[in-house]
């Protein structure tokens, strides 16, 4: 598995507008769909990604962006701070096939957690801050992702950039 997502504690309209500015482009497609069809509507007729694709929904005051096409890994925490601005943001993802996990938490414009573990690049491994407790290895991040009650919705929107 290789799920990854980021969530920001603002409504979906504001979060998507901010994401477009942060990405430096408007989304090319906005497709209302269910989770079970999110990947299918993200692929073109040749079976390749239409672009950077996110499955987006709002839950409990958060907007969650599930990274379908894998375009948001390995961003520096300062980049996430630009998207977060003054709002709370969490980025988390893992890939159990290559032993990789990453997590960033921004709160009050401050990076309170930055974790990276990558089997192929151990010199890059980092574990800084205590903004999310008990994150010591890639399996802790995987457990966080798998157990995050905010990170799931049957209905949402696929954004294609």
């Amino acid at each position: 598995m290789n799920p990854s997502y980021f969530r920001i504690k603002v409504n979906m309209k504001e979060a998507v507008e901010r994401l477009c500015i942060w990405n430096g482009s408007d989304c090319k497609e906005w497709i209302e769909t269910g989770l079970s069809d999110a990947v299918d509507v993200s692929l073109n007729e040749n079976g390749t990604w239409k672009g950077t694709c996110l499955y987006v929904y709002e839950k409990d005051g958060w907007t969650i962006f599930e990274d379908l096409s894998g375009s948001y890994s390995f961003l520096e925490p300062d980049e996430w701070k630009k998207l977060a601005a003054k709002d709370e943001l969490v980025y988390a993802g893992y890939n159990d096939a290559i032993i990789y996990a990453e997590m960033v938490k921004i709160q009050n414009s401050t990076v309170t957690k930055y974790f990276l573990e990558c089997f192929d690049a151990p010199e890059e491994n980092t574990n800084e801050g205590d903004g999310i407790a008990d994150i010591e290895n890639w399996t802790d991040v995987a457990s966080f992702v798998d157990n995050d009650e905010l990170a799931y919705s049957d209905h949402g929107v696929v954004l294609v950039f």
Side-chain angles (χ1 to χ4, degrees):
M1 288 183 54
N2 60 345
S4 71
Y5 66 95
F6 53 99
R7 56 181 165 92
I8 186 167
K9 195 161 187 163
V10 297
N11 67 60
M12 191 164 147
K13 181 180 184 303
E14 182 178 342
V16 171
E17 287 172 359
R18 194 181 298 180
L19 179 69
C20 289
I21 292 167
W22 186 64
N23 278 338
S25 67
D26 291 330
C27 71
K28 296 185 288 188
E29 292 186 60
W30 174 287
I31 307 162
E32 292 188 28
T33 189
L35 178 61
S36 60
D37 294 322
V39 170
D40 289 341
V41 302
S42 299
L43 303 176
N44 64 25
E45 59 279 350
N46 298 321
T48 59
W49 295 109
K50 293 178 179 178
T52 297
C53 300
L54 298 162
Y55 180 65
V56 185
Y57 48 91
E58 197 171 352
K59 194 173 197 179
D60 296 337
W62 290 84
T63 299
I64 297 89
F65 296 89
E66 294 187 21
D67 185 6
L68 301 174
S69 56
S71 300
Y72 291 90
S73 299
F74 295 102
L75 295 177
E76 292 296 322
D78 283 344
E79 286 301 309
W80 289 114
K81 277 176 60 174
K82 291 175 187 173
L83 178 61
K86 62 181 178 9
D87 299 300
E88 189 172 349
L89 179 141
V90 174
Y91 168 78
Y94 73 93
N95 184 330
D96 59 3
I98 62 169
I99 311 301
Y100 150 83
E102 187 174 5
M103 174 176 275
V104 175
K105 182 175 182 184
I106 312 293
Q107 192 161 12
N108 299 320
S109 302
T110 301
V111 177
T112 62
K113 185 66 176 183
Y114 175 43
F115 177 90
L116 174 66
E117 184 174 346
C118 183
F119 182 78
D120 290 339
E123 67 281 0
E124 300 292 325
N125 291 356
T126 304
N127 189 2
E128 300 171 354
D130 58 1
I132 298 175
D134 302 322
I135 302 296
E136 298 298 327
N137 57 54
W138 79 272
T139 58
D140 294 335
V141 175
S143 292
F144 179 92
V145 170
D146 293 345
N147 295 316
D148 187 349
E149 293 179 8
L150 294 172
Y152 176 81
S153 179
D154 281 330
H155 302 286
V157 174
V158 167
L159 301 180
V160 179
F161 288 91

